[in-house]
Amino acid sequence: MKKRIVSLLCAVMMAVSLAACTSEGPGKEASESAADSGQAKTEEGKSAEDITLGVSFGQNVHPFFVAMQKGIEQACEDYSVKKCNILSADSSLETQNSQLENLVTMGCDAILLNPYDSEGVVNAVSDAVNGGTGVFTMDVDCDGSLAFVASDNKEIGKMLAEYVIEKLDGKGKIAIIDGITVSSLKDRTEGFMEVIKESEIEIVAEQQTAHARDTALASAENILQANPDIDAFVGINENSGMAILSAATSANLTDLLITTVDATSENMAAIRDGKVAVGVSQDPYQMGYKAVEQALAWCEGKDVEKFIEVPVEYMDKENIQEFIDREKGYGVEVD
């Protein structure tokens, strides 16, 4: 479904390039005191209105990134940033590297980057920073960024492991679909493995295919065919969690404990309906908002923190409505 709408949505995103960021949403009150002047000066006397920001999302217009974009737009409005170029690389490393080069050429003072491939963008990031353009990463990090705004992804992995250990009383057989192609998935995998090894739980199958829904689904189907008696199946992102749910549904495995990550519409609906046991919620809106704040601080000549953490929380059937209501404010609807 995401693939069918990506062309239209990417065109819409391109249309907002060089336009004012004007959406309303949560986050304004928390930063009103910092933005009261609306005319924050850089060391060279440049006002926020004269600062140009660039944004490059690595993947297509997934609801996670829709919420992140809304956070960016709201921060731009709150801080009187008038020029914000928002682009999507549509899961193409080549496209993203070209976008980074173009944003620098266009004169962006700072770039907010969600890397499609952590290693693949390093040269383009280095060229940007060496040329005087600040690069600030969101959700996924890469070498060379000046600051990284994200959840503690290692903590997300630990939380998933702790939940599984608790529900299985520290024993049983599980499978996991994880990934190492980007920093966020690598950190989650590391955190999960670090905690799960302290239990008597056996991992009978692991596939590092969480980067895409189709590869995750193929892995989930193969794993369940070979191991229909597992007690839990761990997904470390939405792709893997929803792929596991699809494979388990096809195999008529209704009692399998399934995990996922992110407060997306599919994940929240599955948790609400009791099909997925638990998810860990990130807050992409705040990632986008805080990334703008860090970029502006750097443009003003201030020191910025290397890592800005956005808190994460468990989502289960008991509290899922809270997250559904929160995400509705970010433009994410749940059927």
Side-chain angles (χ1 to χ4, degrees):
M1 176 174 164
K2 290 183 282 186
K3 290 295 182 181
R4 292 198 298 268
I5 64 174
V6 65
S7 297
L8 175 59
L9 289 175
C10 284
V12 172
M13 291 179 76
M14 288 292 290
V16 304
S17 295
L18 295 172
C21 299
T22 57
S23 69
E24 291 293 334
K28 185 173 182 178
E29 291 183 4
S31 299
E32 274 184 343
S33 60
D36 279 344
S37 68
Q39 293 288 327
K41 299 291 184 180
T42 67
E43 289 185 334
E44 294 76 24
K46 179 181 283 189
S47 69
E49 290 185 351
D50 295 324
I51 291 173
T52 300
L53 297 181
V55 182
S56 177
F57 291 109
Q59 299 184 39
N60 57 31
V61 191
H62 187 278
F64 185 90
F65 301 110
V66 171
M68 190 180 291
Q69 180 177 336
K70 286 181 177 293
I72 291 170
E73 292 171 341
Q74 187 62 52
C76 285
E77 179 177 340
D78 292 349
Y79 287 91
S80 300
V81 175
K82 302 300 183 183
K83 291 171 285 187
C84 182
N85 308 275
I86 301 179
L87 308 174
S88 171
D90 192 19
S91 302
S92 167
L93 175 60
E94 181 180 2
T95 298
Q96 185 157 62
N97 281 327
S98 295
Q99 287 178 352
L100 292 172
E101 294 172 4
N102 291 337
L103 289 170
V104 171
T105 301
M106 292 166 61
C108 289
D109 298 285
I111 295 172
L112 311 184
L113 173 64
N114 168 250
Y116 174 66
D117 183 313
S118 296
E119 295 183 359
V121 297
V122 168
N123 289 339
V125 169
S126 178
D127 289 344
V129 173
N130 290 338
T133 301
V135 177
F136 300 82
T137 46
M138 305 173 294
D139 184 46
V140 176
D141 199 12
C142 68
D143 289 343
S145 67
L146 301 181
F148 176 38
V149 184
S151 308
D152 183 338
N153 281 289
K154 189 171 182 180
E155 180 63 22
I156 290 175
K158 289 180 177 180
M159 289 172 67
L160 293 175
E162 289 165 356
Y163 183 90
V164 171
I165 291 171
E166 178 184 354
K167 293 301 179 181
L168 300 186
D169 293 324
K171 299 178 181 180
K173 295 180 179 181
I174 69 170
I176 181 171
I177 295 179
D178 53 19
I180 59 172
T181 58
V182 295
S183 62
S184 57
L185 299 185
K186 183 178 180 180
D187 289 347
R188 290 177 200 174
T189 300
E190 182 180 341
F192 183 88
M193 296 303 181
E194 184 178 305
V195 172
I196 207 73
K197 69 181 182 182
E198 299 174 358
S199 70
E200 297 179 34
I201 292 174
E202 178 186 2
I203 300 176
V204 299
E206 177 188 7
Q207 290 291 320
Q208 295 173 337
T209 54
H211 57 281
R213 182 73 65 91
D214 56 349
T215 56
L217 178 57
S219 294
E221 290 171 341
N222 292 336
I223 288 172
L224 288 177
Q225 287 174 5
N227 304 277
D229 60 339
I230 57 174
D231 302 295
F233 205 154
V234 176
I236 65 165
N237 63 356
E238 185 200 32
N239 285 333
S240 54
M242 293 300 95
I244 291 166
L245 176 59
S246 294
T249 301
S250 297
N252 199 30
L253 298 174
T254 58
D255 295 327
L256 183 63
L257 188 152
I258 299 171
T259 77
T260 190
V261 176
D262 287 336
T264 63
S265 56
E266 283 185 277
N267 280 343
M268 292 188 294
I271 293 170
R272 178 198 62 195
D273 298 340
K275 297 176 181 179
V276 169
V278 72
V280 177
S281 169
Q282 303 187 86
D283 194 336
Y285 180 98
Q286 290 299 329
M287 290 182 195
Y289 197 101
K290 291 178 182 296
V292 172
E293 291 183 321
Q294 293 301 306
L296 294 180
W298 179 80
C299 287
E300 294 166 16
K302 299 177 182 177
D303 291 334
V304 295
E305 299 177 45
K306 180 59 181 174
F307 176 58
I308 300 88
E309 182 177 352
V310 178
V312 296
E313 302 174 75
Y314 283 118
M315 302 181 294
D316 58 23
K317 198 167 184 177
E318 296 299 319
N319 68 0
I320 192 61
Q321 190 59 47
E322 298 174 18
F323 294 95
I324 292 174
D325 293 341
R326 184 193 78 179
E327 295 299 314
K328 186 176 182 179
Y330 298 167
V332 178
E333 297 288 343
V334 179
D335 293 333

